[in-house]
Amino acid sequence: MENKIFGVEIETIEKLAEIVSDNELSEITININDCNLTIKGKKYPPASPVMPVPMGITTPATVQSSSSPAINSAETETVAEISGNVVKSPIVGTFYQAPSPDKPPFVKVGDKVKKGDTIMIIESMKLMNEVQSEFEGVVEKILVNDGQAVEFDQPIMIIK
């Protein structure tokens, strides 16, 4: 009994099939002895794109859900906390309250600020970006900790 198909060793065909399978190829075609041999593997569908999920966004529908009362009270509290003029992060980076670790913070809760006052630094890509207040009023709450990573448009501070 001959161990060849169209002049190709069966062992060779098996090894090619193993290569297709191990490397998750859809197919491989080779030309041996004027014969085209195509070995098809499983076709893997392209990976579906993953949509980013915004962090820290609470919608009224989520707050009113009755599936988890403990979470809902925390979310309701967060929504209640964010009333007044909300200062949001202009970029993704790291929030710093002071110009350096040995200096006092730009602002503390209870401080009065004017439009244009520097109120924080957001470090992004090794650059220190001073953020000025868009609002005039009193700092009511600082929503993030010093050195914490922040996302674009994330609420950082409340000024009333």
Side-chain angles (χ1 to χ4, degrees):
M1 181 173 206
E2 196 171 304
N3 289 334
K4 292 184 178 186
I5 298 177
F6 300 111
V8 180
E9 297 276 336
I10 293 178
E11 258 183 51
T12 303
I13 296 171
E14 288 173 346
K15 287 195 188 269
L16 288 170
E18 191 175 308
I19 290 170
V20 168
S21 176
D22 289 350
N23 293 299
E24 298 179 353
L25 302 174
S26 58
E27 69 179 49
I28 188 170
T29 301
I30 59 170
N31 185 345
I32 301 175
N33 302 332
D34 294 327
C35 175
N36 283 333
L37 174 65
T38 300
I39 300 173
K40 293 188 178 193
K42 294 179 182 175
K43 289 194 177 191
Y44 292 90
S48 59
V50 176
M51 298 301 290
V53 177
M55 300 290 292
I57 295 178
T58 306
T59 60
T62 306
V63 173
Q64 295 173 1
S65 169
S66 61
S67 62
S68 178
I71 291 174
N72 289 337
S73 64
E75 288 177 353
T76 303
E77 187 177 306
T78 302
V79 172
E81 288 174 6
I82 301 179
S83 62
N85 295 316
V86 179
V87 178
K88 296 180 180 181
S89 177
I91 55 176
V92 173
T94 304
F95 167 78
Y96 292 109
Q97 290 181 300
S100 66
D102 59 332
K103 302 280 183 185
F106 291 108
V107 295
K108 300 180 296 291
V109 173
D111 287 355
K112 289 183 182 179
V113 295
K114 295 179 183 170
K115 266 186 172 180
D117 286 353
T118 300
I119 55 175
M120 71 181 95
I121 289 178
I122 304 291
E123 177 190 3
S124 181
M125 298 177 66
K126 304 290 182 194
L127 294 175
M128 299 298 183
N129 301 283
E130 289 186 356
V131 178
Q132 283 79 34
S133 178
E134 299 172 21
F135 311 106
E136 204 164 297
V138 177
V139 177
E140 182 173 288
K141 187 151 181 103
I142 298 173
L143 303 170
V144 295
N145 296 321
D146 196 47
Q148 181 178 336
V150 293
E151 297 291 324
F152 169 73
D153 220 23
Q154 177 180 344
I156 303 286
M157 196 176 295
I158 299 172
I159 299 175
K160 283 194 172 184

